Amino acid sequence: MSKRYTITAALPYTNGPIHIGHLAGVYVPADIYARYMRLTGNDVAFICGSDEHGVPITIKAKKEGVTPQDIVDKYHAIIKQSFEDFGITFDNYSRTSAKIHHDTAQEFFKTLYDKNEFVEEVTEQLYDAEANQFLADRFVTGTCPKCGNEEAYGDQCENCGTSLNATDLINPKSAITGNVPTLKETKHWFLPLNKHEAFLREWILKGHKKDWKPNVYGQVKSWVDDGLRPRAVTRDLDWGIPVPVEGGEGKVLYVWFDAPIGYISSTKEWAAREGKNWEDYWKDDNTKLVHFIGKDNIVFHCIIFPSMLKAEGSYILPDNVPANEFLNLEGKKLSTSKNWAVWLPEYLIDFPNQQDVLRYALTANAPESKDNDFTWKDFQARNNNELVAIFGNFINRVVVLTNKYYEGVIPEPSEYSTIDEETLAAVKAYPAVISSSIERYRFREASQELMNLARLGNKYLADEEPWKTIKTDEARTKTVMFVALQIASALAVLSEPFLPFTSNKLKSILCHSELDSESQWDDISIKDILIPANHKINKGELLFSKIEDKTIEAQLEKLEASKKANEAANKVTEPQKEEITFEDFTKLDLRVGTILEAEKMPKTKKLLVLKVDTGIDTRTIVSGIAESFKPEDVVGRRVTVLVNLAPRALRGVESQGMILMTEDEGGNLVFVNPDTQNVSNGLQIS
């Protein structure tokens, strides 16, 4: 096994805080892996940083009336702090606006430029004449040529996931002015991915067919089989890293090119601080490079970045890219723009000292092979039924009984029974079982094996019943408690990658710091005694607490409130119709009426057949409101009726007028009613 690991986690984009989708997809599995690798004695560089360039940041800055630097400074601080508070153990968390990154990215570009690894092309790109600028991909929206989504961006359709160029869009529009852009010539440098196609086929499609996740391998194969094309590495923008060659004035490095180099610059920053050689972690064949990302980043980390590294010539290639699928929230796709998310900073406030509950819930339900759904009810069940009832219950019983029977001093065991030996042998097997899952990037499976160890402890106590034997067989009770404490000690170590705060709390209860050496992963399978007799432990404290229904309801209400607020904020008010004259208006005959009868029209979903007293007659009106109202709900309703609308046959029924309707803030149909109940049917509205 390699002894040096460079572990990277996708650079979060600094235009908003971290949410549970980011955590489940990237940061929790990456942290589990990094913590495990440290516990097994490896040399680890766990690297990340803020991705601070790109168009969404300039859009947000423009919208808020501040500079892009203001935006990235704000969110870099929020993201960095929330990662620390959540226990993500990056060895270095940098940022792409740092000088060391600008220098590293420019040097990388210059190396490839000097080796003639780029293709220089003059192309036509979309240009907004009113804004007097070329339109970067995210400044263009239009219809996706693949799926017809009318809100696709110039680089990607978020509906079908297709990677696009802005010029591929049907009916493109400028996101700055709303104008239809024109084509204008501009010069850029391109990375000819087609040149690296044979290398990618050999390296991934042959070399990693068996050890890369099927979702990753499948997406790479689809891309390569579809034929790779040159991809621009520069763009016309004023926010980003300046292109460091002649002719690059007014241009910056494309964010997809500079962002992955952020792993290298962050490693340089860490190595300089720690007195290490950064090249050992990027250029030594004995180093294992692993990228943790979400599935939307597969193409960048499996095709584009490796092609860049290969073209440069001196870097190692990733050993694995265990990308996860997406996490949905309460059955709907997570959306930052629609505020349909659980934000990490808010979680840390709402659930103080419960970081491990979220870590466990996200791991146990991780979207490792397919999109999964986070629900607050499942979160509650994972806490109450597993962390509290299994893990916490076992530890609490062991600690309470040890303090009750022996004043916290671990008793001397006597001869082991067969069940004792079998139990201790089972404990010794767990490190290898959990290791196997982690090293195959099956973190869900690994977390459940950890919980199985706690189940083993509970079953052992339930079968041996020390609370009964204490009255009849003191020697047997001491042995049972000694064995139970070995299980507790194993849990303290093996839980660290998954439940680091709990692990620390449990180590404190067991006074691990007073033992001869710091416990390591392999100690569990090697040592016969993990925590010795006559060692004194502390009083117990609850590792987990039950989460009540009212707490979950509050979170669901918060989501519903944000949904309604977003709908209200994004509700489009229809523009004013074409101007009419007063004479045109007087042609409309609007009357107060009352619905007398209502029934559904057979074989239709939307239509109700209404009998309406208009004050001048009783007439039939067919109205498309059946999906919003039951017939019995509308009988007796006062309504506004357009009575002189020309009759129209609908499904064989002649409709003699129209009921006036509108929508409320939630998009629900509502009647446009006369306010005063004393107004008689038939009175005109003018």
Side-chain angles (χ1 to χ4, degrees), residues 266-419:
S266 183
T267 307
K268 284 184 177 181
E269 190 176 75
W270 165 75
R273 186 180 69 239
E274 299 296 325
K276 295 177 181 282
N277 179 8
W278 75 269
E279 291 190 339
D280 288 345
Y281 296 84
W282 280 96
K283 298 186 177 184
D284 187 327
D285 288 337
N286 291 320
T287 297
K288 186 172 178 179
L289 173 63
V290 183
H291 295 309
F292 283 88
I293 57 167
K295 70 175 176 181
D296 52 337
N297 266 321
I298 289 174
V299 65
F300 297 106
H301 288 74
C302 300
I303 292 178
I304 297 174
F305 190 40
S307 296
M308 291 162 56
L309 296 174
K310 182 74 172 173
E312 198 279 345
S314 66
Y315 285 83
I316 58 173
L317 298 173
D319 182 82
N320 212 315
V321 185
N324 274 354
E325 299 293 290
F326 288 152
L327 186 73
N328 296 322
L329 173 59
E330 298 289 348
K332 297 177 187 174
K333 187 176 178 180
L334 277 158
S335 172
T336 55
S337 61
K338 295 177 180 177
N339 199 24
W340 188 255
V342 177
W343 303 103
L344 180 54
E346 291 185 13
Y347 175 87
L348 292 168
I349 293 169
D350 293 348
F351 293 88
N353 303 315
Q354 290 180 287
Q355 296 95 325
D356 283 352
V357 180
L358 184 58
R359 285 179 69 109
Y360 180 74
L362 294 177
T363 304
N365 193 36
E368 291 178 349
S369 57
K370 62 181 178 62
D371 290 359
N372 265 5
D373 193 34
F374 176 92
T375 69
W376 280 110
K377 288 293 185 184
D378 179 72
F379 168 85
Q380 181 187 28
R382 293 283 183 190
N383 178 78
N384 294 353
N385 302 339
E386 295 174 38
L387 294 177
V388 173
I390 299 171
F391 194 118
N393 179 59
F394 169 68
I395 297 299
N396 186 56
R397 288 202 289 178
V398 171
V399 173
V400 166
L401 292 178
T402 303
N403 276 285
K404 181 178 179 181
Y405 299 159
Y406 313 112
E407 296 183 338
V409 177
I410 297 175
E412 288 273 5
S414 52
E415 188 176 344
Y416 290 147
S417 69
T418 302
I419 189 70

Side-chain angles (χ1 to χ4, degrees), residues 646-663:
R648 181 185 176 195
L650 294 170
R651 295 290 181 107
V653 177
E654 186 174 75
S655 181
Q656 302 167 311
M658 178 183 288
I659 306 292
L660 268 61
M661 309 291 295
T662 188
E663 290 184 352

Side-chain angles (χ1 to χ4, degrees), residues 18-292:
I18 295 296
H19 59 57
I20 58 167
H22 302 130
L23 294 173
V26 178
Y27 305 109
V28 170
D31 191 58
I32 291 171
Y33 190 76
R35 285 175 178 272
Y36 163 75
M37 284 301 168
R38 294 190 194 105
L39 272 172
T40 49
N42 294 293
D43 178 6
V44 171
F46 184 20
I47 300 299
C48 195
S50 293
D51 181 359
E52 299 183 329
H53 299 131
V55 175
I57 286 166
T58 63
I59 291 174
K60 193 174 188 78
K62 198 174 291 243
K63 187 176 180 181
E64 295 187 13
V66 297
T67 68
Q69 191 66 51
D70 291 332
I71 294 293
V72 299
D73 286 347
K74 173 184 175 182
Y75 288 110
H76 171 74
I78 291 171
I79 291 169
K80 188 171 187 290
Q81 188 62 53
S82 59
F83 275 144
E84 289 174 7
D85 293 344
F86 194 59
I88 304 296
T89 55
F90 296 126
D91 289 296
N92 200 59
Y93 189 82
S94 190
R95 56 191 308 190
T96 60
S97 63
K99 184 180 186 300
I100 193 170
H101 177 68
H102 277 236
D103 292 345
T104 303
Q106 287 181 324
E107 180 187 335
F108 200 105
F109 178 90
K110 192 72 165 53
T111 299
L112 267 57
Y113 177 85
D114 291 342
K115 292 179 69 174
N116 294 315
E117 291 289 345
F118 296 132
V119 176
E120 188 178 310
E121 287 185 27
V122 175
T123 61
E124 288 188 321
Q125 296 202 0
L126 296 175
Y127 183 82
D128 187 327
E130 183 181 335
N132 191 29
Q133 70 178 73
F134 284 97
L135 295 174
D137 44 32
R138 289 270 159 165
F139 276 129
V140 186
T141 58
T143 301
C144 173
K146 290 284 179 78
C147 72
N149 171 31
E150 294 181 355
E151 297 178 354
Y153 291 111
D155 62 343
Q156 186 179 42
C157 174
E158 295 191 347
N159 183 56
C160 68
T162 300
S163 182
L164 301 167
N165 291 313
T167 50
D168 296 334
L169 293 175
I170 301 165
N171 301 323
K173 287 186 179 179
S174 166
I176 302 172
T177 64
N179 294 338
V180 176
T182 57
L183 287 170
K184 186 176 178 179
E185 287 189 344
T186 182
K187 180 180 75 174
H188 284 290
W189 289 270
F190 291 74
L191 181 67
L193 293 175
N194 47 306
K195 175 182 173 181
H196 302 285
E197 199 168 300
F199 146 68
L200 291 166
R201 284 187 181 278
E202 183 68 27
W203 173 56
I204 299 178
L205 300 189
K206 286 186 181 179
H208 287 294
K209 188 171 186 176
K210 294 183 178 178
D211 63 330
W212 281 22
K213 293 173 68 172
N215 60 318
V216 178
Y217 184 88
Q219 193 176 133
V220 172
K221 188 175 188 304
S222 176
W223 265 76
V224 175
D225 287 348
D226 195 37
L228 299 175
R229 290 167 286 280
R231 193 173 181 108
V233 299
T234 60
R235 67 200 322 200
D236 295 290
L237 267 182
D238 56 4
W239 175 249
I241 299 173
V243 175
V245 297
E246 188 178 343
E249 298 79 13
K251 301 178 191 297
V252 299
L253 300 182
Y254 216 138
V255 69
W256 67 257
F257 182 86
D258 100 70
I261 297 171
Y263 300 138
I264 302 170
S265 60
S266 183
T267 307
K268 284 184 177 181
E269 190 176 75
W270 165 75
R273 186 180 69 239
E274 299 296 325
K276 295 177 181 282
N277 179 8
W278 75 269
E279 291 190 339
D280 288 345
Y281 296 84
W282 280 96
K283 298 186 177 184
D284 187 327
D285 288 337
N286 291 320
T287 297
K288 186 172 178 179
L289 173 63
V290 183
H291 295 309
F292 283 88

Side-chain angles (χ1 to χ4, degrees), residues 13 125 240 284 318 345 386 393 427 451 477 524 569 594 605 631 658:
Y13 207 52
Q125 296 202 0
D284 187 327
E386 295 174 38
N393 179 59
V427 172
M451 197 56 65
T477 306
I524 313 304
T594 302
K605 288 184 177 180
M658 178 183 288

Side-chain angles (χ1 to χ4, degrees), residues 399-603:
V399 173
V400 166
L401 292 178
T402 303
N403 276 285
K404 181 178 179 181
Y405 299 159
Y406 313 112
E407 296 183 338
V409 177
I410 297 175
E412 288 273 5
S414 52
E415 188 176 344
Y416 290 147
S417 69
T418 302
I419 189 70
D420 299 336
E421 290 174 345
E422 288 175 351
T423 300
L424 290 170
V427 172
K428 283 189 173 186
Y430 269 96
V433 170
I434 298 172
S435 290
S436 174
S437 297
I438 291 176
E439 289 173 18
R440 289 177 293 133
Y441 308 102
R442 297 182 177 181
F443 302 105
R444 291 175 62 173
E445 184 179 276
S447 71
Q448 295 314 295
E449 291 296 347
L450 175 71
M451 197 56 65
N452 284 339
L453 177 55
R455 288 188 175 96
L456 174 74
N458 274 318
K459 184 177 187 309
Y460 177 74
L461 281 183
D463 290 347
E464 300 309 304
E465 300 180 310
W467 45 88
K468 289 185 179 178
T469 60
I470 190 69
K471 300 170 185 174
T472 59
D473 191 340
E474 192 171 325
R476 177 63 192 151
T477 306
K478 287 180 178 179
T479 304
V480 169
M481 292 309 301
F482 181 83
V483 171
L485 282 154
Q486 304 311 303
I487 302 172
S489 190
L491 281 169
V493 175
L494 299 182
S495 65
E496 184 186 324
F498 310 93
L499 308 167
F501 294 89
T502 304
S503 172
N504 286 339
K505 197 183 290 186
L506 181 49
K507 286 174 183 175
S508 176
I509 293 171
L510 298 177
C511 296
H512 260 252
S513 60
E514 294 177 15
L515 301 179
D516 292 337
S517 62
E518 184 179 344
S519 295
Q520 293 293 319
W521 191 269
D522 292 339
D523 289 350
I524 313 304
S525 55
I526 295 170
K527 292 184 176 181
D528 289 327
I529 296 175
L530 301 176
I531 191 164
N534 300 314
H535 174 79
K536 194 172 191 307
I537 67 172
N538 284 322
K539 297 286 186 184
E541 60 174 307
L542 291 179
L543 297 181
F544 306 99
S545 55
K546 189 177 179 184
I547 295 174
E548 303 295 341
D549 289 347
K550 64 181 181 181
T551 302
I552 297 304
E553 290 303 322
Q555 293 301 319
L556 292 170
E557 287 170 10
K558 183 191 285 191
L559 274 178
E560 191 60 31
S562 70
K563 175 186 170 186
K564 288 182 177 177
N566 180 69
E567 287 172 347
N570 291 284
K571 192 169 180 65
V572 177
T573 302
E574 291 295 324
Q576 179 180 302
K577 293 182 179 179
E578 186 179 339
E579 190 176 88
I580 63 172
T581 65
F582 180 73
E583 287 72 23
D584 291 329
F585 173 73
T586 59
K587 292 178 183 177
L588 298 175
D589 193 347
L590 298 170
R591 305 267 178 157
V592 177
T594 302
I595 298 174
L596 304 176
E597 300 175 16
E599 63 180 4
K600 283 200 73 172
M601 180 177 280
K603 298 181 180 180

